[in-house]
Amino acid sequence: MDLRYDVVVIGGGHAGTEAAAASARLGCRTLLVTPDLGRVGQMSCNPAIGGVAKGVVAREVDALGGVMGQSTDATRIHFRMLNRSKGPAVWGPRAQCDRARYPVAVRRVLDGIAGLDLLQEMISALIVEGGRAVGVVGRGGVTIHARAVVVTAGTFLRGRIHVGGEPGVEAGRAGEAASVELAHSLEGRLEVRRFKTGTPPRVDGRTVDFARVERQDGDPEEYRFAGYVREAIPEQRPCWITWTGDELKGVVERNLKRSALYGGEISGRGPRYCPSIEDKIVRFPDTRRHQVFLEPEGLDTTELYVNGLSTSLPSDVQADFLRTIPGLEEARITRLGYAIEYDYFPPHQLQHTLETRAVPGLYLAGQVNGTTGYEEAAGQGIMAGINAALAVQEREPLVLRRDQAYLGVLIDDLVTRGVDEPYRLFTSRAEFRLLLRQDNAARRLGPVARTLGLLTPGQGDALEDRLTRHDRVMAWFRSATVKPSDAAAVTLAAGSGVPTEPVRAAELVRRPGVDAAALARAAGAPFDPAEESEALAAVEVELRYEGYVRRERERAERLQEQEAFALGAELPYAGFLSLRKEAREKLLRIRPSTLGQAGRIPGVSPSDLHNIILEVRRLRREPAAPTDYVV
C-alpha cells in the first residue's frame, strides 16, 4: 500500500482523535492510524473528563469544534461541579463517563467527519526527506506520504508495564503492544527522556459492602460540556467514598521493596499530583489516612474504579491492602493496578504550534510532550491538528495567548518552561483565570473556530444563537430598572436589604447571594429564566466580578506590549554579554519568539529583559525608544 494524505495522525487516543478531527474539518485529507480501531478514544485510566482547570480545557476543546465535549455528554453517568464553594474562576465541571460507551461515542463523531479516514496499523518509522517529515511507514509495509505528521503516541513509545518488582513487560497499555520501532526512529532526531504513570486496581461492585462507605450523588443540574450539539444524558449513578488507614500503611511499608518504583525497576519520574499509594505512604508518613473514591465504570457493568490507589505492587499485596479498607474487606479484584514507564520528548523542542524545531512538518501532542490527563492531551491534539492543517494550507498558524485560553497557558508552559515531572494543569498556573472561566469558553474561542472554518454550519448557527442569547440577557440586566417591591423577596432571601428606590438589575446582582434567575423572574424579564440558565450563570459572574475582570483585562493588555516585541529565531544570545550567564543559557535552549515568552523562562530576570531589548535594537540598528521598559 502506498497512500497519500495532507496530514497523518499517529495514535487514536484523546490527542490523536482531536488532531485528526480538527485537520479534517479544516479541509485537509487526513488519516488517523492506530494499532486497534476498536480502542479509538479509549479511557486508559480513570473514566472521567474534567475537574479543576481540566474542565475548562474540555470546554475550550469543545468551543473549537472538538470531539471530547459531545462524547462526554453522551456517556456521562455522574456529574459534579468542583470548587463550587469558591469563586467562579476556579469552578471545575467533572463528569464520570461510561468507559465502554465513550469510545463508541468518539468513533461515531469521527465517522461523521468528511475527509477523515482511519487505518489500523502499527507505525514503525518516520520518513524524513531534506530534513522535513514527509510521511510514515507501517509495520505491515504500508507507506503513507503526508505533508504533515502528528505523533500522539501516549504511553506507547517503548512503554513497559510493571506489576511488582520483577522486570516489566513491553506494552503501551494493558493488553496492547508497545511502539518500539517508532520510538527508535524518533530517538535519533529528538531528545528523549522517560516518565512513568500508573493506574489502580478495579473491583467487582457486587463484593463491596456499601453500608461501610459514604454515598456521593452527582449534582442534579443538567450541565453540558458540549455547546453546539445536544446529546441525551444517560442514567446517572452515584460514587462512594472510603479511606485508607494505619493497617494499609503497614501493608505497603512492609512490601515497598516489592514495588517496581521502590524496588529499582522504574527510573522515570512519576506525576506529583497523582501519586501512587506507595508514594503517598513514603512522602506523607504522618498522614493517618488517604481518601479513596469508588467510581462506576459504566451502566452495563458492576466494575468499580478504585480512585486513589494507583500502584505497582504485586497482586498479592494489592489484595492484602484492599482488605484493610472499610467496605472493601471482601472485594474481589477484576483488574490489577500497574505502573507504566514510557518515552517522552522534553517540550522545549517545540514551537508554540507544537511543530518540532528539529524536524519541520512533525508535530507532537499529548503525553509524548510530558503531560498527564485526557484533557491536556485533547487540548494539545486539537491545537496540533489545527496548526498542521493550517501549515499544509499555507495559512497563518493559531497560537492562543495566556489571557485567551487555558490551552494557551498549557502550551506556553510546556514550550517555555519545559517539564521535569509529568505536567498537570491547575488554575494556579493561569494568571488570568478570572477571564478563562468554564462558562465563557464558547464566547472566547467560538468566534476563532468559526473564522478558521472549524465549525459546521449547524455548529456555527448554535454558536450565534448562544452569543445572541447571552447578549440579550446581559442587555436586560444593564438596562432594566427593578422596583423595590419586585426585588424584596430576592434580596431578603440573599440576606440583603430591600432597596428603597428603583435600581438597575445589574446593581442588584452585584450584591452577594442575589440570584440572577430569581431576580429576572421576579422583575418580569422578557425571557424565560429556565431556558436561559446558562446565559444567566455567565451574566451573574460577569456582573458580580466586573471590576476584577476589568483589571485582569488591563493587565493582559500590558502583557501584549511584551508579546508584540518579536525576537528572531537565530538571535546570538551567547554574544549578549549584558545578560547573565544563566539567562544566556536558557535563552539559547528555549529560543523564545517574543519578549513576553522570554520573561516567562525561569532564570530570565526583568533586567535581562531590558538588556535583551537594547541588544536587539543594537543588532537591528534601531535607536532606543521611550518604551524600552519591562512591564
mmCIF file of all heavy atoms in Angstrom, residues 1 31-40 107 117-123 140 142:
data_model
loop_
_atom_site.group_PDB
_atom_site.id
_atom_site.type_symbol
_atom_site.label_atom_id
_atom_site.label_comp_id
_atom_site.label_asym_id
_atom_site.label_seq_id
_atom_site.Cartn_x
_atom_site.Cartn_y
_atom_site.Cartn_z
ATOM 1 N N MET A 1 0.841 -1.200 0.000
ATOM 2 C CA MET A 1 0.000 0.000 0.000
ATOM 3 C C MET A 1 0.868 1.239 0.000
ATOM 4 O O MET A 1 1.851 1.338 0.724
ATOM 5 C CB MET A 1 -0.912 0.001 1.230
ATOM 6 C CG MET A 1 -1.993 -1.083 1.226
ATOM 7 S SD MET A 1 -2.937 -1.097 2.772
ATOM 8 C CE MET A 1 -3.763 0.480 2.697
ATOM 9 N N LEU A 31 -5.564 11.152 7.676
ATOM 10 C CA LEU A 31 -5.602 9.737 8.028
ATOM 11 C C LEU A 31 -5.209 9.580 9.494
ATOM 12 O O LEU A 31 -4.164 10.078 9.925
ATOM 13 C CB LEU A 31 -4.630 8.941 7.157
ATOM 14 C CG LEU A 31 -4.556 7.431 7.467
ATOM 15 C CD1 LEU A 31 -5.876 6.750 7.114
ATOM 16 C CD2 LEU A 31 -3.397 6.780 6.714
ATOM 17 N N LEU A 32 -6.055 8.912 10.254
ATOM 18 C CA LEU A 32 -5.742 8.557 11.638
ATOM 19 C C LEU A 32 -5.309 7.098 11.655
ATOM 20 O O LEU A 32 -6.067 6.205 11.243
ATOM 21 C CB LEU A 32 -6.974 8.759 12.521
ATOM 22 C CG LEU A 32 -6.892 8.247 13.967
ATOM 23 C CD1 LEU A 32 -5.815 9.005 14.731
ATOM 24 C CD2 LEU A 32 -8.227 8.392 14.670
ATOM 25 N N VAL A 33 -4.098 6.846 12.148
ATOM 26 C CA VAL A 33 -3.544 5.487 12.182
ATOM 27 C C VAL A 33 -3.355 5.080 13.634
ATOM 28 O O VAL A 33 -2.736 5.805 14.425
ATOM 29 C CB VAL A 33 -2.191 5.403 11.456
ATOM 30 C CG1 VAL A 33 -1.738 3.944 11.363
ATOM 31 C CG2 VAL A 33 -2.272 6.021 10.078
ATOM 32 N N THR A 34 -3.874 3.919 13.999
ATOM 33 C CA THR A 34 -3.759 3.421 15.366
ATOM 34 C C THR A 34 -3.708 1.904 15.342
ATOM 35 O O THR A 34 -4.269 1.273 14.430
ATOM 36 C CB THR A 34 -4.953 3.922 16.211
ATOM 37 O OG1 THR A 34 -4.778 3.539 17.566
ATOM 38 C CG2 THR A 34 -6.269 3.392 15.691
ATOM 39 N N PRO A 35 -3.056 1.269 16.311
ATOM 40 C CA PRO A 35 -2.930 -0.200 16.279
ATOM 41 C C PRO A 35 -4.241 -0.948 16.440
ATOM 42 O O PRO A 35 -4.339 -2.102 16.034
ATOM 43 C CB PRO A 35 -1.990 -0.489 17.467
ATOM 44 C CG PRO A 35 -1.258 0.785 17.707
ATOM 45 C CD PRO A 35 -2.215 1.873 17.359
ATOM 46 N N ASP A 36 -5.255 -0.319 17.066
ATOM 47 C CA ASP A 36 -6.516 -1.014 17.304
ATOM 48 C C ASP A 36 -7.672 -0.030 17.154
ATOM 49 O O ASP A 36 -7.915 0.799 18.032
ATOM 50 C CB ASP A 36 -6.522 -1.622 18.711
ATOM 51 C CG ASP A 36 -7.748 -2.491 18.979
ATOM 52 O OD1 ASP A 36 -8.678 -2.487 18.147
ATOM 53 O OD2 ASP A 36 -7.777 -3.172 20.018
ATOM 54 N N LEU A 37 -8.391 -0.123 16.055
ATOM 55 C CA LEU A 37 -9.503 0.798 15.818
ATOM 56 C C LEU A 37 -10.639 0.581 16.809
ATOM 57 O O LEU A 37 -11.486 1.467 16.987
ATOM 58 C CB LEU A 37 -10.028 0.630 14.389
ATOM 59 C CG LEU A 37 -9.145 1.211 13.286
ATOM 60 C CD1 LEU A 37 -9.758 0.930 11.920
ATOM 61 C CD2 LEU A 37 -8.941 2.707 13.475
ATOM 62 N N GLY A 38 -10.660 -0.551 17.479
ATOM 63 C CA GLY A 38 -11.677 -0.798 18.486
ATOM 64 C C GLY A 38 -11.439 -0.013 19.759
ATOM 65 O O GLY A 38 -12.316 0.032 20.633
ATOM 66 N N ARG A 39 -10.255 0.606 19.883
ATOM 67 C CA ARG A 39 -9.923 1.352 21.093
ATOM 68 C C ARG A 39 -9.699 2.833 20.822
ATOM 69 O O ARG A 39 -9.054 3.522 21.607
ATOM 70 C CB ARG A 39 -8.687 0.756 21.761
ATOM 71 C CG ARG A 39 -8.899 -0.677 22.234
ATOM 72 C CD ARG A 39 -7.875 -1.060 23.278
ATOM 73 N NE ARG A 39 -8.048 -2.438 23.712
ATOM 74 C CZ ARG A 39 -7.460 -2.958 24.792
ATOM 75 N NH1 ARG A 39 -6.670 -2.203 25.530
ATOM 76 N NH2 ARG A 39 -7.646 -4.212 25.131
ATOM 77 N N VAL A 40 -10.210 3.322 19.741
ATOM 78 C CA VAL A 40 -10.117 4.760 19.468
ATOM 79 C C VAL A 40 -10.877 5.512 20.573
ATOM 80 O O VAL A 40 -12.016 5.201 20.881
ATOM 81 C CB VAL A 40 -10.721 5.090 18.086
ATOM 82 C CG1 VAL A 40 -10.896 6.596 17.927
ATOM 83 C CG2 VAL A 40 -9.828 4.547 16.988
ATOM 84 N N ARG A 107 -16.011 7.422 18.231
ATOM 85 C CA ARG A 107 -15.969 6.863 16.874
ATOM 86 C C ARG A 107 -17.156 7.356 16.043
ATOM 87 O O ARG A 107 -17.017 7.622 14.836
ATOM 88 C CB ARG A 107 -15.977 5.332 16.961
ATOM 89 C CG ARG A 107 -15.907 4.632 15.610
ATOM 90 C CD ARG A 107 -14.596 4.909 14.868
ATOM 91 N NE ARG A 107 -14.592 4.290 13.562
ATOM 92 C CZ ARG A 107 -14.142 3.050 13.323
ATOM 93 N NH1 ARG A 107 -13.658 2.316 14.318
ATOM 94 N NH2 ARG A 107 -14.153 2.565 12.108
ATOM 95 N N ASP A 117 -10.099 9.579 7.205
ATOM 96 C CA ASP A 117 -10.029 8.121 7.084
ATOM 97 C C ASP A 117 -9.320 7.541 8.298
ATOM 98 O O ASP A 117 -8.495 8.212 8.935
ATOM 99 C CB ASP A 117 -9.262 7.721 5.817
ATOM 100 C CG ASP A 117 -9.990 8.143 4.547
ATOM 101 O OD1 ASP A 117 -11.217 8.358 4.615
ATOM 102 O OD2 ASP A 117 -9.324 8.262 3.508
ATOM 103 N N LEU A 118 -9.625 6.298 8.609
ATOM 104 C CA LEU A 118 -8.998 5.598 9.726
ATOM 105 C C LEU A 118 -8.332 4.330 9.221
ATOM 106 O O LEU A 118 -8.846 3.670 8.313
ATOM 107 C CB LEU A 118 -10.027 5.248 10.803
ATOM 108 C CG LEU A 118 -10.490 6.370 11.747
ATOM 109 C CD1 LEU A 118 -11.377 7.362 11.024
ATOM 110 C CD2 LEU A 118 -11.230 5.798 12.950
ATOM 111 N N LEU A 119 -7.181 3.987 9.809
ATOM 112 C CA LEU A 119 -6.439 2.800 9.406
ATOM 113 C C LEU A 119 -5.872 2.112 10.644
ATOM 114 O O LEU A 119 -5.261 2.764 11.497
ATOM 115 C CB LEU A 119 -5.286 3.176 8.468
ATOM 116 C CG LEU A 119 -4.343 2.041 8.060
ATOM 117 C CD1 LEU A 119 -5.067 1.010 7.190
ATOM 118 C CD2 LEU A 119 -3.117 2.599 7.329
ATOM 119 N N GLN A 120 -6.070 0.802 10.729
ATOM 120 C CA GLN A 120 -5.491 0.025 11.827
ATOM 121 C C GLN A 120 -4.128 -0.483 11.392
ATOM 122 O O GLN A 120 -4.015 -1.327 10.506
ATOM 123 C CB GLN A 120 -6.411 -1.148 12.201
ATOM 124 C CG GLN A 120 -5.884 -1.979 13.357
ATOM 125 C CD GLN A 120 -6.949 -2.904 13.915
ATOM 126 O OE1 GLN A 120 -7.974 -2.460 14.405
ATOM 127 N NE2 GLN A 120 -6.694 -4.216 13.827
ATOM 128 N N GLU A 121 -3.111 0.043 12.053
ATOM 129 C CA GLU A 121 -1.732 -0.325 11.693
ATOM 130 C C GLU A 121 -0.786 0.205 12.774
ATOM 131 O O GLU A 121 -1.064 1.224 13.407
ATOM 132 C CB GLU A 121 -1.364 0.270 10.328
ATOM 133 C CG GLU A 121 0.092 0.112 9.908
ATOM 134 C CD GLU A 121 0.512 -1.318 9.608
ATOM 135 O OE1 GLU A 121 0.413 -2.140 10.539
ATOM 136 O OE2 GLU A 121 0.943 -1.602 8.480
ATOM 137 N N MET A 122 0.312 -0.512 13.009
ATOM 138 C CA MET A 122 1.358 -0.050 13.915
ATOM 139 C C MET A 122 2.430 0.652 13.090
ATOM 140 O O MET A 122 3.020 0.052 12.182
ATOM 141 C CB MET A 122 1.974 -1.224 14.678
ATOM 142 C CG MET A 122 3.147 -0.837 15.576
ATOM 143 S SD MET A 122 2.668 0.134 17.027
ATOM 144 C CE MET A 122 2.118 -1.170 18.139
ATOM 145 N N ILE A 123 2.651 1.933 13.367
ATOM 146 C CA ILE A 123 3.654 2.701 12.625
ATOM 147 C C ILE A 123 5.035 2.401 13.180
ATOM 148 O O ILE A 123 5.251 2.403 14.397
ATOM 149 C CB ILE A 123 3.350 4.210 12.708
ATOM 150 C CG1 ILE A 123 2.021 4.505 12.022
ATOM 151 C CG2 ILE A 123 4.474 5.017 12.059
ATOM 152 C CD1 ILE A 123 1.929 4.084 10.568
ATOM 153 N N GLY A 140 3.337 -3.306 8.751
ATOM 154 C CA GLY A 140 2.869 -4.245 7.737
ATOM 155 C C GLY A 140 3.290 -3.897 6.321
ATOM 156 O O GLY A 140 2.880 -4.562 5.371
ATOM 157 N N VAL A 142 2.857 -0.782 4.759
ATOM 158 C CA VAL A 142 2.182 0.361 4.175
ATOM 159 C C VAL A 142 3.049 1.611 4.317
ATOM 160 O O VAL A 142 3.676 1.845 5.348
ATOM 161 C CB VAL A 142 0.801 0.592 4.845
ATOM 162 C CG1 VAL A 142 0.943 0.862 6.332
ATOM 163 C CG2 VAL A 142 0.065 1.745 4.183
#
